[in-house]
Amino acid sequence: MSSIAFSHTDSSLQRRPVASRQHCISGVVDRPPAPPLSLGSPRFHPHAKGKNIRLDTHLRRAARRNSFCHGVTFSQRPVRLYERVRLLLSGVHSGWSGALRFGFTSTDPGELGLADIPKYACPDLVTRPGYWAKALPERLAVRDSVLAFWADRHGRVFYSINEGEPVLFHCGLSVSCPIWAIIDIYGITQEVTLLESTFAESVGSSCLSAARLSAYLPQSNHDSANYSNNQLETSQAAAAKFATLHLSNYNTLIPVSSSSTPSSSVHRPARGPLDTHLHFHPVRGPDVVLSNDRTVACTHFLDSSRTLMFSDRPVRVGETLYVEVGHLGLPYFGALLFGMTSCDPGSLSAGDLPADPEVLLDRKEYWVVYRGFPVPAAGDVLSFTFMPNGEVHHGVNGGASARLLCVDSSQVLWAFFTLHGAVNRLRILGRCGKRCSFCP
């Protein structure tokens, strides 16, 4: 990361010195007050920062290490008018809603205590006197982009991306007193690096076309983004806690109706005992967490991709495996993936397991993968029956099963799954043999 930051810093040194920049409005030279000789490069304030912020030793890089909020930071010194605060977006990760919030304040951050720094710049700070900040549109928060923002003598705040045209951000900033930069490292933006300051040219009114402003001004969706992220974080915490509990085994198959199908029309499996001596294999993808008894697999990482997991023993001919799916309602596409393999998972390590199991088809073992599942509802019970002729039949909630795929039944085969898309939890309910009275 540091090499990237230094490359942007070096390029900025080719600009004219700060004190020599001229600013023109309608042909009239407009010089802002010359900066002091001790202006120096900008730094983050070492103490006025959210509890989730970590700064490097040079106070140039700030990273949010937990959650999506408590990432408010300030500049260590006041920012001059027309001074462009330049930020390298050095860490951007999907999963949360919203992106960086930024602006200015006339309150010296050195006078703020920890209790004075809220979770969010918007709306918490901007509802206080002397604070002005808004959100960068999420589509513009791209990793390794450079955001620059500045205030002019008319109290207008502009920003630009990668030295592009300036965009009017908001108006009404008080410029009669010193101002400090506000940088809230929020949502998908997880790390930023301060680059060398430059000075901006004045922007005349003729440059501010109504069409361009309406296309680029960010929407006022702070409250909805905060609410969505809070809901997501609460669900993640519940999933993480759930995954580490020792969960009791199911002794009977409990019928669950699909949320997308009227309960009166769901074909429910008859009640009866299940053999619960089947678990997930301890060897699994590094993004999977298993319950203590290895009957529940869960992933609660937003960027989880390596989620391959296996049955802890081979599936027998004539056997039906029952699993229950769960999800957090995340707005992701896709569902789980199922397959069978002759590879003993005990011969593998977590590092051997890729994000896409189809990569494993090139291995010498026998691998068959099926990924065409529709997104199930939370609580749906899925069945997989290994037929003597090599067909694998699949059913949902006890309904009529149909052929899913064909495998080589002469080989010893383990079942495997991946958690994908909306599905982030899978529970093995048990298995039954071919003589079970309630197998479909």
Side-chain angles (χ1 to χ4, degrees), residues 230-425:
N230 271 305
Q231 292 293 99
L232 178 57
E233 188 171 60
T234 299
S235 299
Q236 284 182 274
K241 181 177 180 181
F242 175 81
T244 58
L245 295 176
H246 182 83
L247 302 171
S248 59
N249 292 327
Y250 275 42
N251 293 320
T252 59
L253 182 60
I254 303 173
V256 180
S257 63
S258 169
S259 62
S260 60
T261 309
S263 59
S264 60
S265 64
V266 173
H267 298 281
R268 303 186 180 191
R271 293 180 181 272
L274 283 177
D275 177 358
T276 58
H277 297 291
L278 184 65
H279 311 274
F280 289 112
H281 199 282
V283 175
R284 76 275 187 188
D287 292 340
V288 174
V289 179
L290 296 179
S291 61
N292 291 343
D293 60 2
R294 288 189 284 111
T295 62
V296 177
C298 179
T299 177
H300 56 276
F301 303 102
L302 287 173
D303 295 326
S304 296
S305 57
R306 301 176 63 187
T307 61
L308 192 62
M309 52 203 172
F310 303 85
S311 59
D312 65 347
R313 63 159 176 79
V315 179
R316 302 177 183 124
V317 172
E319 192 171 57
T320 299
L321 169 64
Y322 291 91
V323 298
E324 180 188 62
V325 300
H327 67 92
L328 298 181
L330 300 178
Y332 297 155
F333 296 102
L336 80 165
L337 177 150
F338 170 80
M340 300 190 77
T341 180
S342 65
C343 179
D344 181 352
S347 66
L348 301 171
S349 66
D352 298 325
L353 305 180
D356 186 354
E358 289 196 359
V359 174
L360 299 170
L361 298 180
D362 294 331
R363 290 177 58 99
K364 61 181 181 180
E365 304 94 357
Y366 180 77
W367 295 82
V368 180
V369 177
Y370 182 84
R371 64 167 72 247
F373 292 99
V375 177
D380 277 356
V381 174
L382 312 182
S383 65
F384 300 88
T385 304
F386 186 14
M387 308 296 287
N389 63 357
E391 293 183 354
V392 178
H393 287 202
H394 166 61
V396 181
N397 293 326
S401 60
R403 186 178 69 182
L404 186 70
L405 49 80
C406 293
V407 297
D408 182 358
S409 59
S410 67
Q411 300 200 52
V412 177
L413 300 175
W414 283 258
F416 64 85
F417 299 87
T418 65
L419 297 174
H420 175 65
V423 175
N424 71 349
R425 187 173 72 245

